[in-house]
Amino acid sequence: METKTEKQKEEKNINQKMEGRSLWADGWIRLKRNKLAMFGMWLIIIICLAAIFAPYITRYDPNEQFIWTEGPSAKLVPPCSKYWFGTDVYGRDIYTRVIYGARISLQIGFAATAISVIIGVILGSIAGYYGGIIDDFISWLTNVIFAFPFLLFVLALVAYLPPSLPLLYMAIGVISWASFARVARGQVIQLKEMEFVEAATAIGSHDKRIIFKHILPNILAPIIVQTTLEIGSIIMLESSLSFLGFGIQPPKPAWGYMISEGKQYFLSGQWWWSVFPGLAIMILVLGFNLFGDGLRDALDPRLKQ
């Protein structure tokens, strides 16, 4: 009986402490309790650090061809102490190319997501706040984006325009805003009827100030969660485009293109050329998905208890 009473007191004290914290502090505490989410966060951190400090953790240049210095013996070498992930048919170190390839995938993932967040949140906020014809048009445009085959749309843009890294993440970002617009619209519709918005309207605040000053800060939590999940999806999309030959062009070390180059040698026993870039994609996307799912649970006020 005494043990039960002590547990109840302890739970009461914990709840009282959590009530005094902000949403973000409370969410961080709940996030730390989610082991899978923390595992995903550490995967992301490790890969980001590897990409940043790539010159210090690899011994070679990603485009260095050792067949010119060591002869044909450096071609398609299996994983060993000298070449941790083996070499490709050109004698390039796959481990080095995988590490440098993380830079490209992360750059496209973050940049394209930032573009889609800006477009989607602005359009979704305008649609949710004003409603009427504006809401109908933006909602119709959002449904069109969702209905059109996403990969084919990107392929059409990339195939028509000259290939370049900025163009690639701009093309992906411009057509991936629909999910952010839908999330922002739903949140704004709920918040625009709240008392603090009515108070801002009553004192004569401009619509632009109400949206950006009062509403947007209160919908950051679901936007951040959607952003985390979207980065993984965009990295997968970029890898698919590179695999098909419409993404990053050689000799830059794109993971998708490395898989495409090595697939013809996979069945003949040279599996490392395509397996290690594939594992890198899987680990990075898994990290973002686990972290995004945990972040969603941590920032959901309905799961506070």
Side-chain angles (χ1 to χ4, degrees), residues 10-305:
E10 185 179 354
E11 290 177 358
K12 185 178 179 180
N13 292 332
I14 293 175
N15 291 332
Q16 289 176 351
K17 291 179 180 179
M18 293 180 70
E19 287 176 358
R21 297 190 182 100
S22 65
L23 171 66
W24 302 103
D26 190 17
W28 171 244
I29 292 174
R30 291 203 302 273
L31 182 65
K32 289 193 296 184
R33 295 174 182 170
N34 190 328
K35 295 182 179 179
L36 286 177
M38 296 304 293
F39 176 70
M41 185 187 73
W42 280 110
L43 286 179
I44 298 171
I45 292 175
I46 291 172
I47 294 177
C48 288
L49 290 176
I52 294 172
F53 298 103
Y56 302 99
I57 62 176
T58 58
R59 295 177 291 177
Y60 310 116
D61 183 270
N63 297 321
E64 185 177 358
Q65 301 181 13
F66 295 101
I67 56 174
W68 299 110
T69 57
E70 301 180 13
S73 61
K75 182 172 67 174
L76 294 175
V77 176
C80 59
S81 59
K82 184 177 182 180
Y83 305 113
W84 292 355
F85 291 176
T87 62
D88 58 17
V89 72
Y90 306 105
R92 297 174 298 191
D93 181 49
I94 295 177
Y95 168 74
T96 302
R97 292 180 64 79
V98 168
I99 296 298
Y100 277 89
R103 288 184 169 186
I104 295 175
S105 294
L106 289 170
Q107 181 179 350
I108 293 176
F110 287 123
T113 304
I115 294 173
S116 61
V117 167
I118 294 173
I119 297 174
V121 170
I122 291 176
L123 291 179
S125 300
I126 293 173
Y129 185 79
Y130 289 104
I133 298 177
I134 297 177
D135 184 19
D136 292 339
F137 175 75
I138 295 178
S139 298
W140 171 81
L141 187 62
T142 303
N143 292 330
V144 170
I145 295 294
F146 273 119
F148 199 88
F150 191 71
L151 183 59
L152 292 180
F153 201 178
V154 179
L155 282 173
L157 289 176
V158 175
Y160 179 76
L161 299 173
S164 66
L165 186 59
L167 175 65
L168 183 60
Y169 61 68
M170 288 182 64
I172 296 175
V174 165
I175 63 174
S176 60
W177 54 265
S179 59
F180 293 99
R182 182 166 290 182
V183 171
R185 175 183 176 273
Q187 294 293 319
V188 171
I189 289 176
Q190 294 179 6
L191 290 177
K192 72 177 183 179
E193 304 297 335
M194 301 292 287
E195 294 179 355
F196 67 91
V197 176
E198 294 179 356
T201 305
I203 63 175
S205 297
H206 193 270
D207 290 345
K208 182 179 178 181
R209 178 178 176 82
I210 294 174
I211 293 175
F212 287 96
K213 182 73 174 179
H214 299 284
I215 294 180
L216 286 185
N218 288 281
I219 66 173
L220 283 180
I223 296 299
I224 291 174
V225 172
Q226 183 64 30
T227 299
T228 307
L229 296 172
E230 189 69 19
I231 291 174
S233 301
I234 288 179
I235 290 174
M236 285 290 296
L237 177 61
E238 181 274 326
S239 300
S240 301
L241 291 172
S242 297
F243 180 84
L244 296 174
F246 292 95
I248 303 301
Q249 300 299 309
K252 292 182 179 180
W255 287 344
Y257 194 80
M258 292 171 66
I259 297 174
S260 177
E261 285 183 311
K263 70 180 187 298
Q264 57 184 324
Y265 296 92
F266 184 85
L267 295 179
S268 59
Q270 290 79 22
W271 50 269
W272 52 88
W273 192 353
S274 56
V275 167
F276 287 114
L279 287 176
I281 296 172
M282 183 193 72
I283 292 172
L284 183 56
V285 174
L286 177 65
F288 277 109
N289 288 341
L290 290 177
F291 182 65
D293 288 339
L295 199 61
R296 178 178 54 196
D297 296 339
L299 297 178
D300 191 343
R302 294 171 297 180
L303 301 177
K304 188 173 182 179
Q305 299 300 328

